[in-house]
Amino acid sequence: MLVEQRDFTLLGKVQRHAHISVIPTGKLRVNILEDNAEQEAEFSQLWFSKTGTKTLLVCRDESKVNWQLDLRNQDAKELEHLIESAQEDYEILMRDL
């Protein structure tokens, strides 16, 4: 189980960059480099919403939005795949124990 890390350029009026870590124990850590702001979420809190050429990644608790990122569709698809892969790896590890 390895932490997968990627850097993405966020969409928006001001170009910002996110360093994202997919942690196999079920967490996603996001560091916005320009703001030096770090956010964290459980995989179960994440929601992807595709609209045209962008995908909105939302972290929410019940009905409250904690944070959100505008990603290119291709970047969001890669991130979704990394999360799914991390979940599968974790489930396999837990079964083997």
Side-chain angles (χ1 to χ4, degrees):
M1 283 189 354
L2 299 173
V3 174
E4 292 284 347
Q5 299 182 37
R6 297 291 188 279
D7 293 311
F8 297 116
T9 300
L10 303 177
L11 299 175
K13 293 178 183 179
V14 177
Q15 192 174 46
R16 297 182 308 154
H17 301 87
H19 179 76
I20 299 179
S21 301
V22 178
I23 304 165
T25 54
K27 292 189 185 257
L28 185 81
R29 186 171 297 133
V30 178
N31 185 4
I32 306 298
L33 302 177
E34 288 76 11
D35 304 338
N36 199 29
E38 189 170 281
Q39 302 290 337
E40 194 170 273
E42 299 285 332
F43 291 164
S44 61
Q45 296 174 293
L46 300 175
W47 175 70
F48 290 87
S49 175
K50 184 177 175 180
T51 311
T53 59
K54 71 177 184 175
T55 300
L56 185 64
L57 170 60
V58 179
C59 169
R60 61 181 178 192
D61 282 325
E62 297 169 15
S63 61
K64 178 184 147 197
V65 173
N66 295 327
W67 53 265
Q68 61 186 32
L69 302 175
D70 283 324
L71 298 168
R72 289 181 174 84
N73 288 339
Q74 181 178 342
D75 294 342
K77 186 175 181 178
E78 179 181 358
L79 184 56
E80 239 178 328
H81 175 72
L82 290 173
I83 290 169
E84 289 170 5
S85 181
Q87 288 174 316
E88 289 172 11
D89 289 348
Y90 187 72
E91 288 173 12
I92 290 169
L93 178 67
M94 290 296 109
R95 275 195 307 258
D96 290 346
L97 292 179

